[in-house]
Amino acid sequence: MAAPSKNNRKILGTLSLPERSFVAEALRTETVGGVLLLLAAIAALIWANTPLSDSYESVSDFHIGPSALGLDLSIQHWAADGLLAIFFFVAGVELKRELVAGDLRDPKAAILPVVAALCGMIVPALVYVLTNTAGGGSMDGWAVPTATDIAFALAVLAVIGTSLPSALRAFLLTLAVVDDLFAILIIAVFFTEQLNFAALGGAFVGLAVFWLLLRKGVRGWYIYVPLALVIWGLMYNSGVHATIAGVAMGLMLRCTRREGEQHSPGEHIEHLVRPVSAGLAVPLFALFSAGVSVSGKAITDVFTQPETLGVVLGLVVGKTVGIFGGTWLAARFTRAELSDELAWPDVFAVASLAGIGFTVSLLIGELAFKGDAVMTDEIKASVLLGSLIAAVLATVLLKIRNAKYRAMVEDEERDEDLSGIPDIYEQGNPEYHLRMAAIHEKKAAEHRRLAALGTGEPGPAGSGGDDSPA
């Protein structure tokens, strides 16, 4: 086989400075949200496995809301259908930004994360189907292990104290965005019950008004928030999962900057809403969804029932193999090469981290086995256990390469000329080289001064020798 061309396109290379800044800001918020998500999940498990478990059930099942509008829902239901609409709104804005200003804008660059995310959803579904075909289980949960939880994955990184290079962090974020898109499509297509066309039509009219107001440049949260609530309520009553309303509104925001704008409207609103999503909506959903009974028998049952075993294997094996295999295939067939600083084990480690499928997996589990409370709880337990195993596996793989990652991050963040811009982005700038020459000359002069002091010889004039005030 011929040697690879030196002109082959590089993948997972250094990000542009604006993209690096955006990724850093987005992941910083998601990391904080991920830690809160982790704490909420732990709190839910403790609450549901102590003598207070009855109160957990009582609070989760407590109904509130106007029944005349079809919104007399339990607290757990409000968390899943209401609060997660905020999460999916942010996902919609992220997707729009990626399509118009991020990696997905360039078809050549988009191939890698799209193929990786697709394979990272197809392979876990196949693993689930094969497991349940062999074990005679239900096929209803095939979609449960297909989702990645970026916030939980980042929480794991924060807890284990490792830092991924910006290229791998951007790859993980883009993977999650594409993953969310396909999860939304799965929810919309496969978990839509009987349609109420009047309510659905009303939701579409509301979305059209929302879009028109945005195009006209109308501003004011007091207009958009009530309108968004109306659209959400109509979408819920239509039979389509209510979170689709959040995605649709997120996709309508403009995410390109016009002349004189520091941030596009989409970026500005995402900056305001993301902390609400990551810090409130998703943790509260976890609090009222992750509370399942944990015992030795329950854990044993996860590995003996085909439905739950399929979920665990789908998350741990299917996600890792699917994303790694999809990335390798995309690189192979586009004649692209990995960045010189990275190796394929790095991609494998990130793929294993993507096996943490918490928030959306729990949501799909509730939808897939709706009406079967026992199986729903068992599926939730399998999601928790599978995500835990994936987190441990990723921790081991990432720790092996942690010294390499730390050195890469230090190189990316080095700013010796104190310009506020990492040196890696200035190396082709003549002014940068002049500043660096001055810095090196200053260091050399200081070295000569210290050497002169050490030998008793006078240092250079003005260098602070024996006649200095010191």
Side-chain angles (χ1 to χ4, degrees):
M1 186 175 70
S5 169
K6 292 183 179 179
N7 296 322
N8 281 3
R9 183 172 61 88
K10 297 289 185 181
I11 56 175
L12 300 182
T14 304
L15 303 177
S16 66
L17 184 57
E19 186 68 10
R20 181 181 181 274
S21 300
F22 172 82
V23 169
E25 176 64 26
L27 295 186
R28 190 177 299 114
T29 305
E30 291 289 356
T31 300
V32 175
V35 173
L36 292 175
L37 173 63
L38 183 60
L39 294 174
I42 293 171
L45 289 170
I46 294 172
W47 193 359
N49 288 276
T50 63
L52 297 174
S53 58
D54 289 342
S55 66
Y56 180 82
E57 294 293 334
S58 298
V59 173
S60 297
D61 294 336
F62 182 77
H63 278 62
I64 188 173
S67 56
L69 299 178
L71 297 174
D72 182 19
L73 310 178
S74 67
I75 297 296
Q76 183 179 359
H77 208 159
W78 276 111
D81 282 27
L83 291 177
L84 278 195
I86 301 173
F87 167 80
F88 279 107
F89 172 80
V90 173
V93 179
E94 287 177 339
L95 177 61
K96 179 67 174 289
R97 186 197 168 278
E98 287 290 334
L99 289 170
V100 300
D103 288 345
L104 301 183
R105 176 183 56 179
D106 178 8
K108 289 183 179 179
I111 289 175
L112 180 69
V114 170
V115 171
L118 264 176
C119 292
M121 299 186 82
I122 292 172
V123 176
L126 286 175
V127 169
Y128 180 93
V129 169
L130 291 173
T131 303
N132 281 269
T133 299
S138 170
M139 297 297 174
D140 292 344
W142 65 271
V144 175
T146 60
T148 293
D149 194 310
I150 181 68
F152 215 139
L154 293 171
V156 170
L157 289 179
V159 170
I160 65 177
T162 189
S163 180
L164 291 179
S166 59
L168 288 179
R169 286 182 288 161
F171 178 59
L172 185 60
L173 181 61
T174 308
L175 263 180
V177 171
V178 179
D179 190 285
D180 285 341
L181 169 64
F182 290 119
I184 291 159
L185 293 175
I186 288 173
I187 291 171
V189 174
F190 294 99
F191 297 105
T192 295
E193 299 174 350
Q194 292 182 345
L195 290 175
N196 180 328
F197 288 100
L200 186 60
F204 278 119
V205 170
L207 287 170
V209 173
F210 189 88
W211 179 84
L212 186 62
L213 291 173
L214 289 173
R215 298 286 79 76
K216 294 294 184 181
V218 176
R219 297 187 177 185
W221 65 267
Y222 46 85
I223 296 174
Y224 289 103
V225 171
L227 179 57
L229 292 174
V230 170
I231 294 170
W232 175 87
L234 288 168
M235 190 69 76
Y236 175 82
N237 282 287
S238 73
V240 177
H241 199 268
T243 54
I244 303 301
V247 178
M249 287 183 277
L251 286 170
M252 289 182 181
L253 295 179
R254 175 168 61 83
C255 292
T256 52
R257 300 177 188 179
R258 292 176 179 169
E259 187 175 352
E261 287 184 338
Q262 187 175 1
H263 302 288
S264 67
E267 290 173 321
H268 176 66
I269 294 173
E270 182 189 16
H271 181 73
L272 294 175
V273 178
R274 184 188 286 275
V276 178
S277 169
L280 180 67
V282 175
L284 281 178
F285 168 75
L287 181 64
F288 292 109
S289 291
V292 295
S293 178
V294 177
S295 64
K297 182 180 183 303
I299 294 174
T300 302
D301 288 345
V302 166
F303 294 102
T304 55
Q305 293 187 98
E307 294 89 351
T308 50
L309 180 60
V311 169
V312 172
L313 292 178
L315 289 172
V316 178
V317 179
K319 270 289 182 183
T320 306
V321 172
I323 291 174
F324 178 80
T327 305
W328 185 86
L329 288 172
R332 173 81 173 176
F333 286 102
T334 59
R335 298 179 182 275
E337 298 174 355
L338 273 181
S339 170
D340 294 335
E341 294 81 13
L342 297 173
W344 283 108
D346 299 315
V347 179
F348 190 85
V350 171
S352 67
L353 189 65
I356 301 172
F358 190 77
T359 306
V360 180
S361 290
L362 289 176
L363 175 62
I364 294 177
E366 291 180 359
L367 297 174
F369 295 97
K370 192 174 182 179
D372 188 344
V374 174
M375 181 56 74
T376 298
D377 282 349
E378 291 173 347
I379 289 294
K380 287 181 180 180
S382 66
V383 170
L384 295 173
L385 193 56
S387 297
L388 177 62
I389 295 171
V392 172
L393 175 62
T395 297
V396 173
L397 295 175
L398 291 171
K399 279 295 185 183
I400 293 173
R401 300 277 288 174
N402 199 34
K404 172 71 173 177
Y405 297 150
R406 191 182 299 113
M408 291 177 66
V409 171
E410 288 174 356
D411 287 341
E412 290 178 358
E413 295 179 350
R414 185 174 293 111
D415 182 20
E416 292 188 9
D417 62 344
L418 302 177
S419 65
I421 299 175
D423 295 340
I424 193 173
Y425 295 101
E426 292 192 292
Q427 289 174 357
N429 184 353
E431 292 183 4
Y432 165 77
H433 293 289
L434 289 174
R435 290 197 302 270
M436 291 304 298
I439 289 171
H440 290 313
E441 176 57 31
K442 185 176 180 180
K443 288 181 178 179
E446 179 68 9
H447 179 74
R448 290 194 298 271
R449 183 183 74 83
L450 293 175
L453 288 174
T455 58
E457 298 176 0
S463 65
D466 292 340
D467 295 329
S468 67

